[in-house]
Amino acid sequence: MFILFLTLFFCCGVCESGEGDLGYSLSIGNAIDVFANYGDLSQVTQVVSADYEEDSLEIVEPFREKNIRVFENVTSIESPGDPMVALNIQLCETFEDLLAGYFGNFKIEGTEQPWKAFLGDWIYDEIMRTFGIEFDTSSDNCCYVLVKLSKTHRTVKMDHTKQIRVKEYMERAINRLDVNDTAAVRRFMKSYGTHYIDSYVTGNFIYQVFKYKRSGYRLLKAYVKRGRRSSGTDNLRFYFSSYFLKQVGDIRMASGNKRIEEWAKDNLRDSQYLFSRPSLLRLYYNAKLAFKLNDMLDNGALLGLGLKILKPLFRDRYRRDKYAEIVENDMKLWEVNA
């Protein structure tokens, strides 16, 4: 998959934890059970466009999955986001490449296909509609181009330079756990989690999918490899013309903000020959529109997430490795069956 960057200037009942240890928002170091919503994590994280009403007053939270505090003294390192948006174009040979590229900033230890944790239970018709394109049952031998315009609000990472302590109730649970009993380990996972939140990125982004005829895709790919990006915007627009395309997707917001989606539909129209359609490429050669969109983007989406297996819970190497082995084996099974 080729990527082109164009920067614009502009607990369950058995859990002994206290009430204050449970939460449903992003907290560095907190543990979650990935399997609780595996295949449908997009329902508890704001990562793709959703069908919210335009006039809804409900605040969309980027993360709403149940999590639990298992470490005593976690600290984090926070970096502010970029005040300006950045345009990113990803060239994808297959639809699965498109999904992998979309979730490229999401890392879940134990799986090579994080996107399946978010959308694995969805049927392809639902996924394609979320990406603004129509589902086609025929084998059409097509390729895809994903155009994203993102704005990072903040990046938060766990500080691994300081030694962390395990909470007292977790120490008791770990001491009771027989890691050689797979069933007991799985009950432990349901109560206390499989992974902890190691990092996250919040912000928002607007995206659009272009479905290409394979011949047109090859020409665009060759154009990018030749490094002709500096030869002018018209050349880039040429490779996004109807002559090469089979379908142009709707413009969508990761936060599901319908007001911005409607604004994009009305203001980002690109006219070529006899056709006029919404296109995010308008932002590449119209700085005024890019600045306006930049001011509209809020902090309503999750742009990246790093989850690591709860190995730091275990001081003993054998118990730590055994726990990780069971989690990883289960992850592979869920990944294959998603």
Side-chain angles (χ1 to χ4, degrees):
M1 179 171 62
F2 284 83
I3 302 177
L4 168 64
F5 289 98
L6 301 171
T7 302
L8 301 177
F9 294 98
F10 29 117
C11 272
C12 291
V14 297
C15 182
E16 300 177 11
S17 63
E19 238 177 77
D21 292 323
L22 296 174
Y24 291 85
S25 59
L26 284 166
S27 295
I28 285 292
N30 277 20
I32 72 168
D33 177 12
V34 167
F35 300 124
N37 282 296
Y38 189 94
D40 203 19
L41 272 174
S42 55
Q43 293 298 315
V44 290
T45 55
Q46 195 58 50
V47 292
V48 292
S49 180
D51 295 327
Y52 295 118
E53 295 295 332
E54 184 180 352
D55 57 353
S56 174
L57 298 177
E58 182 181 350
I59 298 175
V60 178
E61 293 291 339
F63 185 91
R64 305 174 299 280
E65 175 67 306
K66 185 176 82 170
N67 56 83
I68 180 172
R69 189 180 177 207
V70 295
F71 300 117
E72 191 70 61
N73 58 328
V74 172
T75 57
S76 60
I77 303 170
E78 182 172 336
S79 304
D82 193 330
M84 294 305 300
V85 291
L87 186 66
N88 168 227
I89 299 177
Q90 299 184 16
L91 278 60
C92 312
E93 296 278 348
T94 65
F95 190 66
E96 286 210 3
D97 283 345
L98 170 66
L99 295 173
Y102 187 89
F103 286 94
N105 293 324
F106 292 77
K107 311 294 181 184
I108 304 176
E109 187 176 7
T111 180
E112 296 179 357
Q113 297 177 295
W115 72 263
K116 285 193 173 184
F118 292 87
L119 298 174
D121 282 353
W122 293 32
I123 60 175
Y124 266 91
D125 184 19
E126 292 176 325
I127 297 175
M128 287 193 167
R129 280 191 281 110
T130 295
F131 281 88
I133 55 179
E134 297 176 3
F135 178 66
D136 190 348
T137 56
S138 62
S139 179
D140 50 16
N141 194 32
C142 289
C143 301
Y144 301 85
V145 172
L146 173 65
V147 179
K148 290 170 59 178
L149 195 93
S150 58
K151 182 179 180 181
T152 299
H153 177 70
R154 65 174 179 162
T155 300
V156 184
K157 298 179 180 180
M158 189 168 171
D159 186 356
H160 292 280
T161 63
K162 299 180 180 179
Q163 189 172 3
I164 56 175
R165 299 189 306 272
V166 177
K167 296 211 71 171
E168 187 177 334
Y169 78 86
M170 283 301 307
E171 290 276 16
R172 293 195 297 268
I174 291 166
N175 291 336
R176 293 194 300 265
L177 177 65
D178 179 3
V179 294
N180 294 306
D181 184 345
T182 303
V185 171
R186 287 177 177 146
R187 288 194 297 271
F188 182 93
M189 293 178 192
K190 289 183 179 179
S191 296
Y192 302 106
T194 58
H195 293 69
Y196 66 92
I197 301 172
D198 183 61
S199 64
Y200 65 83
V201 182
T202 60
N204 213 335
F205 63 87
I206 192 168
Y207 62 94
Q208 185 176 26
V209 174
F210 295 82
K211 188 175 181 180
Y212 271 77
K213 303 170 187 174
R214 187 161 290 273
S215 58
Y217 175 85
R218 287 175 181 153
L219 290 172
L220 173 61
K221 186 176 177 180
Y223 169 78
V224 171
K225 289 180 71 174
R226 289 196 304 268
R228 300 294 180 84
R229 301 189 296 275
S230 60
S231 58
T233 58
D234 286 341
N235 284 349
L236 185 61
R237 288 181 67 206
F238 170 72
Y239 289 99
F240 279 81
S241 66
S242 300
Y243 182 76
F244 302 111
L245 292 166
K246 188 163 185 179
Q247 188 181 153
V248 176
D250 297 330
I251 295 176
R252 295 295 175 90
M253 285 292 303
S255 65
N257 189 312
K258 298 304 176 186
R259 179 179 61 85
I260 301 179
E261 287 184 0
E262 286 299 319
W263 176 89
K265 182 179 178 180
D266 295 337
N267 292 274
L268 302 182
R269 301 199 71 84
D270 191 23
S271 299
Q272 291 186 3
Y273 309 113
L274 300 177
F275 298 95
S276 175
R277 58 175 180 242
S279 173
L280 284 183
L281 287 183
R282 282 273 290 163
L283 298 166
Y284 179 45
Y285 51 87
N286 190 317
K288 185 177 179 180
L289 288 173
F291 275 109
K292 185 170 180 61
L293 178 64
N294 183 72
D295 292 338
M296 296 170 69
L297 292 180
D298 55 16
N299 189 36
L302 191 62
L303 275 61
L305 181 67
L307 301 178
K308 290 190 175 181
I309 296 174
L310 280 167
K311 289 185 273 190
L313 288 179
F314 303 89
R315 293 194 185 96
D316 180 75
R317 182 175 179 178
Y318 173 79
R319 289 160 64 82
R320 180 170 63 245
D321 292 346
K322 192 65 179 177
Y323 185 80
E325 177 187 333
I326 294 172
V327 173
E328 289 174 356
N329 286 340
D330 283 2
M331 289 288 290
K332 288 181 174 64
L333 287 172
W334 283 72
E335 183 177 281
V336 169
N337 292 318

